[in-house]
Amino acid sequence: MTDTTKATTKNPNCGTTKNGETVEKGKYYYKCDNGDYKPVGCLDSKKQRVPSGQTFEENQYLLQCVLTPTQDLSIDMVSCMIDGKKVGPDETAQTDIFFYKCTKMPDGRLQSDVSGCISQVVFFN
């Protein structure tokens, strides 16, 4: 007996997400593209969308939304933000009263620490 049924096209939706719609999952957002979720970008702490490749400031750090070679999204620390200035790993910055150092930790995170004080001598007449 010969099978006379016609092949059907693949459903372009992603479950309950319609084709072309965007969905947020955790710290990232994806677009439904013909039945597959395609990574698009990251979400900051205020749920603002940041496209992959772009940077954003959060908690005194400059972060970058990265699309990895395996097509996963990640948020990487780029630099510390000290007194409104970008300070890279192993660099220091000065404010009115302190020196700060941006240090790359063994796990890849960055950490900003006070590394010294600025002496302010005041003379009275």
Side-chain angles (χ1 to χ4, degrees):
M1 181 174 192
T2 307
D3 184 6
T4 59
T5 59
K6 294 182 180 180
T8 60
T9 59
K10 181 179 177 185
N11 179 353
N13 296 331
C14 303
T16 58
T17 306
K18 293 181 181 175
N19 188 44
E21 289 184 344
T22 302
V23 64
E24 297 175 356
K25 294 182 179 186
K27 296 181 181 182
Y28 309 107
Y29 66 101
Y30 304 83
K31 183 177 181 180
C32 179
D33 183 23
N34 291 318
D36 293 318
Y37 285 113
K38 301 290 183 184
V40 179
C42 305
L43 300 170
D44 68 12
S45 63
K46 297 176 185 171
K47 297 291 186 187
Q48 298 293 314
R49 292 180 177 175
V50 180
S52 66
Q54 299 295 312
T55 58
F56 60 101
E57 282 185 52
E58 198 160 287
N59 299 323
Q60 299 181 355
Y61 294 96
L62 185 66
L63 307 174
Q64 183 175 30
C65 181
V66 177
L67 182 62
T68 68
T70 58
Q71 299 299 297
D72 292 317
L73 290 165
S74 72
I75 298 175
D76 294 350
M77 297 181 103
V78 176
S79 64
C80 300
M81 295 298 293
I82 300 170
D83 205 25
K85 300 173 191 155
K86 290 190 281 185
V87 180
D90 299 321
E91 294 179 351
T92 58
Q94 175 182 333
T95 65
D96 290 340
I97 55 175
F98 295 113
F99 283 101
Y100 290 88
K101 183 173 183 179
C102 183
T103 305
K104 189 166 190 161
M105 306 306 286
D107 65 359
R109 290 180 306 112
L110 297 178
Q111 183 171 315
S112 175
D113 292 310
V114 173
S115 61
C117 299
I118 296 174
S119 175
Q120 295 183 350
V121 178
V122 178
F123 294 98
F124 294 98
N125 289 331

